Amino acid sequence: HFASLWTGGGAEIGFFDLGAEEARDAALSATGDFLAVGTAGGCWIWDVPQRRRLVCLPGVHVFKVEFGTAPAPPDFKNSMPVLKTIARDGARLWRVGRWEQPLGILGIEDDPLVVGAWSSKGDWVVVAGQSGALAVGRSNQRELVRGGTVSHSAVVRALRINPAGDAYVSAADDSRVRLWKVPAGGEP
């Protein structure tokens, strides 16, 4: 099992051995310095220029990894580079280069996550559990502040946030597609 980096022309420029792990998702940082690969055992981070594995971030079956930005403490007026992960045991926000602990985590108690989406600004996340429950959280100084919990009556298969970051759509096995509005400045 391995992850490879390719040029736009299709030439391989890097090969990263995952050992026994199978890749679920992968992302490259905006600077190209870091590679993140979601696996069943966590999220592996590589230093791309040095071609070395740095750390395995916690998470059970990490199925979504994405580099981006999020509001930075203390005033949240500026942004910082982050890695956004979603796994069966929770959505996590990591500060790039500071892998010791997540800036926040959001999950649904006793309900493994099956799908999730982060806003483009990294300021909120929506996740869904196997039961059809959805939870929304906002980035805060050291945690994800849980907003409302809503639900479908069956497993949710897709979640997408609109580009403006003020609404999201959920599609589930209950034969429903729902559009949810997020109040400006308030709890989702």
Side-chain angles (χ1 to χ4, degrees):
H1 301 101
F2 61 92
S4 293
L5 293 179
W6 305 83
T7 66
E12 187 176 43
I13 58 174
F15 175 87
F16 301 85
D17 187 1
L18 297 176
E21 296 279 0
E22 294 179 6
R24 307 272 192 242
D25 196 15
L28 189 62
S29 66
T31 62
D33 291 336
F34 297 105
L35 170 68
V37 179
T39 70
C43 181
W44 288 99
I45 305 297
W46 273 272
D47 178 315
V48 172
Q50 299 294 318
R51 302 280 197 272
R52 67 183 174 100
R53 191 169 11 195
L54 297 176
V55 66
C56 184
L57 304 176
V60 176
H61 293 277
V62 178
F63 57 84
K64 187 169 182 97
V65 296
E66 175 183 334
F67 283 97
T69 60
D75 61 6
F76 300 99
K77 292 183 181 175
N78 297 312
S79 63
M80 62 183 169
V82 294
L83 173 65
K84 302 174 266 187
T85 64
I86 302 177
R88 291 183 62 80
D89 63 341
R92 292 171 176 85
L93 188 64
W94 303 89
R95 190 168 191 162
V96 170
R98 296 185 185 173
W99 310 112
E100 301 82 35
Q101 67 180 32
L103 295 170
I105 184 169
L106 175 70
I108 301 172
E109 192 170 335
D110 298 324
D111 194 2
L113 301 185
V114 294
V115 68
W118 284 92
S119 67
S120 61
K121 294 180 183 177
D123 56 346
W124 66 279
V125 61
V126 59
V127 296
Q130 279 182 321
S131 70
L134 292 105
V136 179
R138 284 203 182 274
S139 300
N140 195 0
Q141 187 171 8
R142 295 295 299 164
E143 61 189 87
L144 286 173
V145 178
R146 187 182 185 117
T149 302
V150 294
S151 70
H152 279 269
S153 61
V155 67
V156 176
R157 298 293 180 182
L159 288 170
R160 298 290 184 273
I161 298 172
N162 73 332
D166 60 358
Y168 65 97
V169 64
S170 58
D173 284 354
D174 60 4
S175 301
R176 296 181 189 263
V177 175
R178 294 181 170 179
L179 181 62
W180 307 89
K181 186 78 173 153
V182 179
E187 291 298 328

